[in-house]
Amino acid sequence: MSDLHNDRMSPGQPSSSLGKVVLASNNAGKLREFAALLDAAGIELIPQGALNVPEAEEPHVTFVENALAKARHAAKLTGLPALADDSGLCVRALRGAPGVYSARYAQRAGGEKSDAANNARVVEQLSGETDRRAYYFCVLVLVRHADDPEPLIAEGRWHGEMLDAPRGANGFGYDPYFFLPALNASAAELDPAVKNASSHRAIALRELLARLTEVA
Ligand code: IMP
C-alpha cells in the first residue's frame, strides 16, 4: 500500500494524505501557481524560506537530478514532504541547450547573468539556422521524505519556435523569443493567465496531480 493512501479520501478525488508540503523555491509566482492547483489535492504548500531552508546547489546536468537534489535538501532540513521544480529552454538545433543552464547561459560563455544576454547568445547561435524548434521543459519532483525511494516525478513540455527578433513585453526569460504557432503569439505576448494555464509548468502540475490521484 502506498504511503499516500488516505482512508478519508473519497473515490476519484485528487486528494492525498500529504498535508503540509515544503516548496523548494521562494519564487512568489511559482508559489501562487503551484498552491492554487495543489490546494485542490488538500496540499498546503509552504515556501522553504519560511522554514529557514537555504537554497540548494544545482550541480547536475539534467533537470530531474537538480529537482531531486532540491526536494531532498528541503525534506531533509524540514522533516516534511517536499516539492521542487526545475525548468528551462531546450532548443533542438542546439542539442537541447540552454537546458539546465538557461538562467546563466551567457554567463557560462563569459557574459553577464541577464535575460538580455541569454537571449542574445541564443539568437546568435541560431543565426542562419532554419530548424527553429524548441520547447520549454519543466520537471516536478515530490518526495515524501529525504530518503524516499520512489519520488513522484512529472514532466511538462511546451512546444514552440525560436524567433530572431523579440515580440511582446510580458513574461520573463526567453519569452519574447519563444513563439507559439497555435496561439500566433510569442509567450511574452500572451496574457499571463493564458500563459499560466498552458505553460510547461501547468502541464507538469496537471501531470503531478494525476500521479497523486493514481498513487493515493
Ligand atoms: P527556474 O527553473 O525557475 O530556475 O528557471 C530556469 C530558467 O529557465 C529561467 O531563469 C529562464 O531563463 C528559463 N525559463 C524557465 N521557465 C521559463 C518561462 O516560462 N519563460 C521564460 N524562461 C523560462
Side-chain angles (χ1 to χ4, degrees):
M1 186 190 295
S2 155
D3 286 348
L4 292 175
H5 183 78
N6 182 348
D7 292 335
R8 287 160 297 156
M9 194 187 73
S10 35
Q13 288 296 305
S15 185
S16 82
S17 57
L18 288 175
K20 286 186 180 10
V21 171
V22 56
L23 177 65
S25 165
N26 291 315
N27 181 307
K30 279 185 190 172
L31 178 68
R32 252 196 316 277
E33 220 176 304
F34 292 170
L37 268 172
L38 293 177
D39 186 52
I43 290 175
E44 182 196 343
L45 269 190
I46 305 165
Q48 65 179 10
L51 301 171
N52 298 318
V53 177
E55 285 198 359
E57 296 291 320
E58 299 180 38
H60 303 292
V61 298
T62 66
F63 293 105
V64 69
E65 287 170 293
N66 283 330
L68 188 53
K70 289 188 272 189
R72 272 209 199 105
H73 173 79
K76 197 173 206 156
L77 293 183
T78 61
L80 288 171
L83 174 68
D85 78 313
D86 203 31
S87 64
L89 174 73
C90 299
V91 179
R92 187 153 177 138
L94 303 181
R95 298 175 62 231
V100 295
Y101 307 112
S102 290
R104 46 200 158 109
Y105 195 48
Q107 197 180 32
R108 283 174 59 80
E112 63 178 35
K113 190 179 178 197
S114 72
D115 289 342
N118 290 339
N119 279 312
R121 184 169 181 210
V122 171
V123 166
E124 199 252 302
Q125 288 185 316
L126 286 178
S127 164
E129 175 60 61
T130 53
D131 183 355
R132 314 296 299 188
R133 288 173 292 177
Y135 55 82
Y136 279 131
F137 180 76
C138 172
V139 64
L140 294 172
V141 173
L142 192 148
V143 293
R144 285 153 278 201
H145 53 83
D147 300 323
D148 190 345
E150 189 211 346
L152 279 188
I153 299 177
E155 297 180 346
R157 284 181 186 75
W158 197 25
H159 293 275
E161 294 167 7
M162 298 312 293
L163 297 167
D164 51 22
R167 284 177 56 165
N170 296 332
F172 68 99
Y174 299 91
D175 285 349
Y177 291 87
F178 187 74
F179 184 71
L180 290 317
L183 301 173
N184 192 26
S186 78
E189 289 176 313
L190 296 179
D191 184 279
V194 173
K195 183 187 168 192
N196 288 346
S198 36
S199 75
H200 46 311
R201 265 178 295 280
I203 296 166
L205 259 180
R206 285 194 289 267
E207 165 80 14
L208 185 79
L209 270 183
R211 298 289 321 281
L212 274 171
T213 315
E214 207 176 275
V215 300

